[in-house]
């Protein structure tokens, strides 16, 4: 039987994961952060790096990540005004976690192409070309 102390520890862990995945679990959020790990970027630079992301989804993710405290948004006094995004200290702190998650996925998750090839050997022979 689980003690109340163990149950509290599990609930605390679950609450932290829920908060993390509310922000990071959305499509493109991790890739936006990864793109900005290379330095500040404008909206258009990120849109090019993250193609095929749509403008509306990129805008939504940027706003969410700013609200979560992972990014800062700076407006440059140019004509037209330029907007730049940059990781905050909290945003920079998540990058090693994302790098580790990517390493784990590479080692432990079957790629979609490999999964398809398992069911259709013709796909594997096309990939070898």
């Amino acid at each position: 039987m689980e003690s109340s102390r163990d149950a509290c520890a599990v609930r605390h862990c679950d609450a932290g994961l829920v908060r993390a995945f509310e922000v990071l679990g959305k499509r493109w959020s991790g890739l936006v952060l990864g793109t900005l790990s290379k330095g500040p970027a404008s909206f258009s630079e990120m849109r090019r790096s993250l193609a095929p992301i749509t403008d509306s989804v990129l805008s939504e993710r940027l706003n969410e990540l700013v609200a979560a405290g992972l990014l800062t948004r700076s407006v440059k006094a140019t004509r037209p005004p330029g907007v730049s995004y940059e990781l905050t200290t909290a945003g920079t702190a998540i990058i090693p976690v994302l790098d580790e998650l990517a390493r784990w996925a590479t080692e432990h998750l079957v790629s979609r192409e490999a999964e398809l090839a398992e069911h259709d050997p013709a796909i594997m022979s096309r990939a070898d070309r």
Side-chain angles (χ1 to χ4, degrees):
M1 183 167 182
E2 184 176 59
S3 72
S4 62
R5 180 182 165 137
D6 292 340
C8 287
V10 169
R11 280 195 300 272
H12 176 72
C13 176
D14 290 347
L17 287 174
V18 167
R19 284 194 319 274
F21 280 103
E22 282 174 349
V23 175
L24 301 174
K26 293 185 177 178
R27 187 170 185 196
W28 298 104
S29 292
L31 294 174
V32 167
L33 293 168
T35 298
L36 291 171
S37 71
K38 297 167 186 73
S42 69
F43 185 91
S44 60
E45 290 169 330
M46 283 189 287
R47 187 180 58 225
R48 282 190 298 272
S49 286
L50 297 169
I53 193 170
T54 64
D55 287 356
S56 61
V57 171
L58 178 56
S59 180
E60 188 176 309
R61 291 304 167 266
L62 289 167
N63 289 332
E64 291 167 353
L65 294 168
V66 167
L70 300 176
L71 303 181
T72 57
R73 180 182 186 269
S74 303
V75 180
K76 300 174 191 168
T78 58
R79 290 219 182 256
V83 177
S84 180
Y85 295 88
E86 186 172 5
L87 294 174
T88 61
T89 302
T92 301
I94 194 68
I95 298 304
V97 176
L98 295 177
D99 289 341
E100 185 63 20
L101 185 60
R103 186 194 61 73
W104 171 84
T106 300
E107 291 178 11
H108 298 286
L109 296 180
V110 175
S111 73
R112 182 72 177 134
E113 187 174 278
E115 184 180 312
L116 291 171
E118 184 177 307
H119 299 290
D120 183 358
I123 292 173
M124 199 58 175
S125 63
R126 286 192 301 261
D128 290 340
R129 290 183 215 160

